[in-house]
Amino acid sequence: MPLTPIKIFILICGFCSRFHAIEYPPVQTQNEVLHGSDVSLRCDVPLLSESSTLHWETDREETSNTTLMYNNSAYIILHTVDERNEGKYYCRLMKNRTVQTVRIHTLNVISHSYNAKNKNDTIYRQSSSNSDVLLICKSSKKYDSLKWTWEQRPNSLIDLIAVEKGKEVQLKGPIKPGRRSSTTYNSQALIFHISPVNFNYSGTYRCITNIGIYTTTVLRTIRVSVEPPDGVLRNQSVVLTCELSEVNDSVTLVWLRMEGNRGVLVKQQITTEKNNTLRFTVNLSSYETDPLRWQCAVFTENTLRALAPVTISLTSSTTNAPSISTETTTVKKHAAHKHGRHTLACVLTLFTGILLGALLYYCYRKRKSKCYSVHSDRQESEPVYINISQMRNNRERSNTLGNRENSPEIYRNIRRNRYGKPNVNIRDETPGTSESVTYATIYFNKSKFQT
């Protein structure tokens, strides 16, 4: 029976669907973890298109823990697991409105925190105000004494919290315990809660019983920052910095630009050397500052250990400026604002100068008027002695010419009477002869006197 084109198409579709089913078979894994430890799960697919999503779910609901999609993989981190985290975790791929289960992970939590393999349990925490660490020392046996110690650097052992049978809990050391720390004696469990986590809290924490070391937890802290810190223009370049404390093994730091839960690689750094603090920076150009959400991811052996998010904040003047032309307009507005402020300052300075000049001129006139008044009073209060004979000759000369304006100038002493009229008193002490000189005192009203 010959194959028609329709049959060939049906066979190809069936083969592709069968191949698709074989390509993504559900993989089942199972893992046992200690009580209080961190668990990182990973799910991979060969190719993840932009329209498809990959996420983790549990038996009860979609998990609300840390989730990241990066390089065709979905990651999830479970912090400080306990019995509530037990169960099945499903990694599911949604593509073309169909859902396919890619991986099934069964998680079993051991009731105690004792590590039989005597390995250090390393956890990572971001240094921030809402980050915390719960150090749980839980055993199946009873002990007379329990305590948590902290060794920030070699040979620097410090007791943080201790309890003995029949005694109250003793708080020691520089780290203030959080609200979930133990407050009463329990022969099988001792909890030390750190909240918030500071960057310098990294180090080795040990739970020690009256027999010896029970469990060891190594804390690595991570912090991120953005420069400038007070907000940037939309098209301004910025610097992102990621710091990791106490690097002792192979670690990969990655800066991711976030598009929803999907991370896009921008820069990564792999280090195998021992460092007290690993510093990893990335310089972002103007077009890369448009996405505001970024994350610094820490990987060890392809396992996601920590995520530290950072958000680039924009200044309010350029929040609605998505393009370069709009940015140029904003710059012009800033220039106009600056010019306007300069003009206003000049006007205020000029106005202040005018007021100051007017005040100085007023004070000068007032002082001059006062001085003139004092001088006039002084002249008016002094008696003046004149030659009577000379005054007669001048009067006769003025009568001859018929002009009163040519009368001699007379120095007078002014005294007002009670009616405001001048008083002229002349007293001759010697007979009036041509050679004799007579002295007189004249009082007159200056306002009504006419020469």
Side-chain angles (χ1 to χ4, degrees):
M1 182 177 179
L3 294 175
T4 61
I6 296 177
K7 291 181 179 180
I8 294 174
F9 177 76
I10 293 174
L11 289 174
I12 293 175
C13 292
F15 177 77
C16 291
S17 62
R18 181 176 179 84
F19 179 77
H20 184 272
I22 296 174
E23 185 179 2
Y24 303 113
V27 178
Q28 297 193 27
T29 57
Q30 189 171 352
N31 191 18
E32 290 185 347
V33 294
L34 298 175
H35 186 102
S37 61
D38 289 355
V39 177
S40 179
L41 304 179
R42 174 181 176 178
C43 174
D44 303 315
V45 293
L47 182 62
L48 186 64
S49 62
E50 294 182 357
S51 60
S52 59
T53 59
L54 191 65
H55 60 276
W56 283 94
E57 296 179 3
T58 64
D59 292 331
R60 299 170 298 277
E61 60 186 2
E62 185 173 350
T63 179
S64 60
N65 289 274
T66 304
T67 304
L68 171 68
M69 293 173 56
Y70 168 62
N71 276 353
N72 301 326
S73 301
Y75 299 89
I76 180 175
I77 299 177
L78 306 175
H79 294 297
T80 316
V81 297
D82 54 20
E83 291 79 4
R84 294 172 296 180
N85 299 112
E86 286 187 338
K88 294 183 181 296
Y89 291 80
Y90 302 92
C91 177
R92 289 173 175 164
L93 173 66
M94 179 177 289
K95 183 177 181 181
N96 298 329
R97 297 183 179 180
T98 61
V99 179
Q100 180 185 357
T101 301
V102 178
R103 177 182 291 270
I104 303 175
H105 186 92
T106 303
L107 183 63
N108 296 323
V109 179
I110 302 175
S111 60
H112 56 79
S113 59
Y114 177 71
N115 192 343
K117 298 179 181 180
N118 198 20
K119 290 184 178 180
N120 296 337
D121 180 29
T122 304
I123 60 177
Y124 294 79
R125 291 293 186 275
Q126 181 183 2
S127 174
S128 64
S129 58
N130 57 356
S131 180
D132 67 343
V133 173
L134 202 62
L135 299 174
I136 300 176
C137 181
K138 187 176 181 181
S139 69
S140 58
K141 298 180 181 180
K142 295 183 179 181
Y143 295 94
D144 294 335
S145 65
L146 295 170
K147 68 177 181 179
W148 274 104
T149 63
W150 174 40
E151 192 175 12
Q152 187 178 21
R153 59 185 61 87
N155 301 322
S156 62
L157 190 65
I158 299 175
D159 291 344
L160 297 176
I161 185 173
V163 62
E164 294 182 9
K165 185 177 180 179
K167 296 183 180 180
E168 296 181 354
V169 175
Q170 296 180 358
L171 300 176
K172 306 177 181 180
I175 301 178
K176 183 179 179 180
R179 58 182 179 85
R180 299 177 64 182
S181 298
S182 298
T183 57
T184 59
Y185 169 74
N186 187 332
S187 59
Q188 293 179 293
L190 181 63
I191 300 175
F192 187 74
H193 183 209
I194 302 176
S195 178
V197 178
N198 294 336
F199 187 73
N200 59 351
Y201 286 173
S202 63
T204 303
Y205 295 81
R206 295 182 178 92
C207 176
I208 302 177
T209 69
N210 55 297
I211 298 177
I213 298 176
Y214 186 81
T215 185
T216 302
T217 301
V218 178
L219 174 63
R220 301 283 182 248
T221 53
I222 180 175
R223 65 182 174 188
V224 291
S225 60
V226 57
E227 184 67 30
D230 299 328
V232 297
L233 303 178
R234 182 173 292 276
N235 291 326
Q236 181 181 0
S237 298
V238 299
V239 178
L240 300 179
T241 302
C242 180
E243 295 177 275
L244 179 63
S245 65
E246 298 296 327
V247 178
N248 294 324
D249 49 7
S250 178
V251 175
T252 302
L253 295 181
V254 180
W255 269 113
L256 300 174
R257 184 177 69 247
M258 300 306 298
E259 299 175 358
N261 284 337
R262 190 190 300 266
V264 179
L265 174 64
V266 176
K267 186 179 180 181
Q268 72 175 10
Q269 177 178 338
I270 302 175
T271 179
T272 57
E273 299 179 357
K274 183 177 180 179
N275 294 293
N276 292 331
T277 300
L278 179 61
R279 185 181 179 90
F280 179 44
T281 61
V282 57
N283 297 318
L284 303 178
S285 56
S286 58
Y287 72 90
E288 290 176 324
T289 59
D290 247 358
L292 304 180
R293 295 175 57 248
W294 296 77
Q295 293 202 67
C296 179
V298 181
F299 291 89
T300 59
E301 299 179 355
N302 295 326
T303 301
L304 178 65
R305 305 308 302 269
L307 283 174
V310 62
T311 301
I312 300 176
S313 59
L314 298 178
T315 57
S316 58
S317 60
T318 57
T319 302
N320 298 322
S323 62
I324 297 178
S325 59
T326 309
E327 181 70 19
T328 304
T329 304
T330 305
V331 172
K332 291 182 179 180
K333 289 182 179 179
H334 280 296
H337 257 330
K338 186 176 180 181
H339 180 70
R341 290 195 299 267
H342 181 71
T343 304
L344 180 61
C346 292
V347 172
L348 290 176
T349 303
L350 180 62
F351 183 72
T352 305
I354 293 175
L355 288 179
L356 184 60
L359 181 61
L360 293 175
Y361 180 75
Y362 172 77
C363 295
Y364 171 78
R365 289 294 303 272
K366 188 174 181 180
R367 182 177 180 183
K368 183 178 181 181
S369 175
K370 184 177 180 181
C371 295
Y372 177 79
S373 176
V374 172
H375 181 69
S376 299
D377 293 340
R378 183 182 301 169
Q379 288 182 348
E380 292 171 356
S381 62
E382 293 178 355
V384 180
Y385 299 95
I386 61 176
N387 191 323
I388 297 298
S389 61
Q390 182 69 26
M391 183 176 64
R392 289 176 180 177
N393 295 334
N394 292 338
R395 186 180 300 171
E396 291 175 358
R397 187 163 52 247
S398 64
N399 291 334
T400 305
L401 298 175
N403 187 0
R404 294 182 60 185
E405 293 180 357
N406 294 329
S407 60
E409 182 179 359
I410 302 174
Y411 297 90
R412 308 163 183 87
N413 187 356
I414 302 174
R415 178 184 299 172
R416 292 180 181 273
N417 60 11
R418 61 186 296 182
Y419 301 102
K421 297 181 180 181
N423 295 329
V424 181
N425 299 322
I426 303 176
R427 181 172 58 89
D428 294 338
E429 297 181 357
T430 57
T433 61
S434 59
E435 290 81 13
S436 63
V437 178
T438 303
Y439 298 92
T441 303
I442 301 174
Y443 302 92
F444 65 97
N445 190 345
K446 186 177 181 179
S447 61
K448 295 182 179 181
F449 178 75
Q450 294 181 355
T451 57

